[in-house]
Amino acid sequence: MIAALGDVFTVQKNGMTRLGNEYAEVPVPWGFDDVVYARVKAAAGDAGIRRIGVPKGAFDPFYQSPPIKAENGKLTPIVRKVAGSAGCARYLVITRRTDSEPSTNDEVTGVGVINRGEGFGRISHVFIMLDIQLYDGATFETREPGMSSKSLLSRLTSGVGPPSHAGDVDNSAFPASPPEAANNNVLRDMARSMLKFRLDQRLPAYFGRE
């Protein structure tokens, strides 16, 4: 298992148009990759899970080539290099993604918070946008899990959530400046909780445990 979310939290502020939108990536000590590892172990049950260490900066060529999508051609060579001589039969790789939220069509990246709207109509919510890729350990070709209708639905709705809109936070929790996000316990707890929720939705399909 290669967890490559990194401790990066995205802070975005959007208006009704793209003009004046603000975007920042903030380093935070919130252990996102530790959450990933714990949820992968929980989903795997008795299956042996090995966490492959990720050297600092290893995924930078992927993340610095927006939009962050697996099909940009940069991910597979990085995974092959990070896997090295580990010799695993399969590699489950979790990365940040850039894509549109299903509910708003705002383009968001990774784990973060967005404040959108105008005037007194602004709203804030935490989002999760991630990719899970399964690689063959010998060929490094991607493999799909068995996709039931339940797992397909979770893929289609994986950008925000839960569906009850529990990702919403009071506008007072939105940081006055991006660096202040690193000390915001409300955002930290919401982000970790929602990350766990999304992983628990999607991971069982990769271990045949739906």
Side-chain angles (χ1 to χ4, degrees):
M1 188 277 296
I2 299 175
L5 291 182
D7 276 337
V8 175
F9 189 74
T10 302
V11 179
Q12 296 182 227
K13 191 170 186 177
N14 288 14
M16 297 304 292
T17 68
R18 292 182 180 273
L19 185 65
N21 288 357
E22 300 173 13
Y23 175 95
E25 293 181 356
V26 180
V28 293
W30 295 350
F32 292 145
D33 286 341
D34 293 335
V35 174
V36 171
Y37 180 49
R39 300 329 299 163
V40 169
K41 286 181 64 178
D46 295 333
I49 297 297
R50 177 182 175 187
R51 183 175 181 177
I52 306 298
V54 177
K56 184 177 178 60
F59 281 82
D60 284 356
F62 174 61
Y63 287 138
Q64 293 171 1
S65 300
I68 304 169
K69 296 181 179 179
E71 59 267 25
N72 73 3
K74 297 182 181 291
L75 183 58
T76 299
I78 294 172
V79 172
R80 187 189 293 269
K81 184 175 181 178
V82 169
S85 59
C88 298
R90 289 175 298 278
Y91 295 95
L92 192 69
V93 182
I94 294 87
T95 56
R96 304 192 300 272
R97 180 180 179 89
T98 295
D99 218 326
S100 298
E101 288 185 315
S103 61
T104 66
N105 288 324
D106 285 319
E107 189 171 86
V108 296
T109 298
V111 182
V113 64
I114 185 169
N115 178 268
R116 65 185 304 274
E118 291 290 343
F120 294 106
R122 302 197 71 87
I123 60 171
S124 299
H125 63 262
V126 174
F127 58 83
I128 306 292
M129 190 66 71
L130 57 80
D131 258 335
I132 301 175
Q133 297 285 341
L134 183 65
Y135 286 85
D136 182 279
T139 66
F140 286 90
E141 295 177 344
T142 56
R143 295 283 184 259
E144 289 289 343
M147 297 299 288
S148 69
S149 59
K150 177 182 176 182
S151 60
L152 178 60
L153 178 62
S154 74
R155 277 195 162 198
L156 293 175
T157 59
S158 63
V160 295
S164 63
H165 302 293
D168 291 350
V169 293
D170 191 89
N171 285 330
S172 63
F174 189 81
S177 65
E180 293 181 23
N183 299 314
N184 190 312
N185 292 339
V186 172
L187 297 180
R188 178 200 63 195
D189 294 346
M190 179 67 76
R192 286 174 57 92
S193 175
M194 286 183 58
L195 177 59
K196 177 180 179 295
F197 178 91
R198 284 303 174 202
L199 291 167
D200 288 350
Q201 273 192 320
R202 295 184 58 183
L203 286 172
Y206 290 84
F207 298 98
R209 299 186 64 203
E210 287 195 292

